[in-house]
Amino acid sequence: MPMRETILFIAMSLDGYIADQRGGVGWLDGLEGGQRGYQDLLEQVDTVVMGWNTYHQIVTQLSPNDWPYAGLESYVVTHRNCPDRGQVRFTGDPCALVEGLKQGSGKDIWICGGANLAGQLLQAGLVDRLWISVVPVLLGRGTPLFGPEGVRTPLRLLQTREDHGLVELVYGCGPGTGGSSGTNRSGTV
């Protein structure tokens, strides 16, 4: 049985930021592109993993009344001692969580954000694919997707697609750079 893959699916500005200097993502409002990629991703995954800041932004700003990932196993990585809330589970060790999920059965695993979580998983070699939607905007400052604590990671371009000015780039990460299965399971985009 092939191992589940982890996919870091995230939007960033052309200058490499995932949030503005105040931590906001309002610059994504009204974005026409990326809907095809998002729908393609949802067909491939059954689990979403995110950090506390991403979770907090979702429940306080983006979707305060409804959990937008209903139907997906949802995990929030945090050092806070939070009780599970409905379909959202809280955990403290991202690497142990992802290693366990990859060994289990199911579809692939979406790493939703943010930069700290992505950095930890990349450093541990636990990200199989980067699926980055490059938004045609320059923020100048903010939260960089790849911070100064990065790790050298070989990448191989698997796919590109343009969608209303947004450019989707899909890379295989690490040894073999085709994801853990060594194949492009997502098809042509």
Side-chain angles (χ1 to χ4, degrees):
M1 174 168 78
M3 190 180 302
R4 298 169 77 185
E5 289 190 338
T6 53
I7 304 166
L8 174 61
F9 180 90
I10 198 162
M12 76 174 188
S13 65
L14 182 59
D15 53 351
Y17 298 106
I18 60 171
D20 64 24
Q21 62 186 359
R22 292 190 177 127
V25 293
W27 52 278
L28 293 170
D29 291 347
L31 185 66
E32 290 184 46
Q35 296 306 309
R36 247 182 6 189
Y38 182 68
Q39 292 306 315
D40 291 347
L41 174 78
L42 290 179
E43 292 175 13
Q44 296 176 45
V45 300
D46 62 6
T47 305
V48 60
V49 177
M50 66 190 68
W52 175 262
N53 289 339
T54 301
Y55 170 76
H56 188 259
Q57 193 167 54
I58 290 168
V59 298
T60 61
Q61 298 173 31
L62 302 176
S63 186
N65 298 319
D66 296 309
W67 182 241
Y69 308 121
L72 298 179
E73 276 188 77
S74 301
Y75 296 90
V76 176
V77 176
T78 181
H79 63 274
R80 293 167 176 83
N81 187 11
C82 299
D84 292 346
R85 295 181 187 151
Q87 56 194 313
V88 180
R89 297 181 199 138
F90 296 85
T91 184
D93 185 344
C95 295
L97 170 68
V98 170
E99 285 173 347
L101 291 171
K102 285 174 70 81
Q103 297 299 322
S105 62
K107 293 181 173 183
D108 291 334
I109 303 154
W110 172 17
I111 308 303
C112 182
N116 186 21
L117 175 64
Q120 289 179 63
L121 296 175
L122 279 166
Q123 193 163 36
L126 292 170
V127 176
D128 297 302
R129 278 186 275 157
L130 299 176
W131 190 335
I132 301 172
S133 298
V134 181
V135 179
V137 64
L138 298 172
L139 295 179
R141 287 192 189 162
T143 304
L145 174 54
F146 304 109
E149 303 292 320
V151 61
R152 184 177 180 160
T153 303
L155 303 173
R156 183 171 66 89
L157 183 64
L158 301 175
Q159 303 168 1
T160 61
R161 173 169 62 191
E162 187 274 336
D163 187 7
H164 293 89
L166 181 140
V167 177
E168 293 180 347
L169 303 169
V170 181
Y171 290 94
C173 300
T177 61
S180 63
S181 69
T183 62
N184 179 1
R185 298 185 336 176
S186 63
T188 302
V189 293

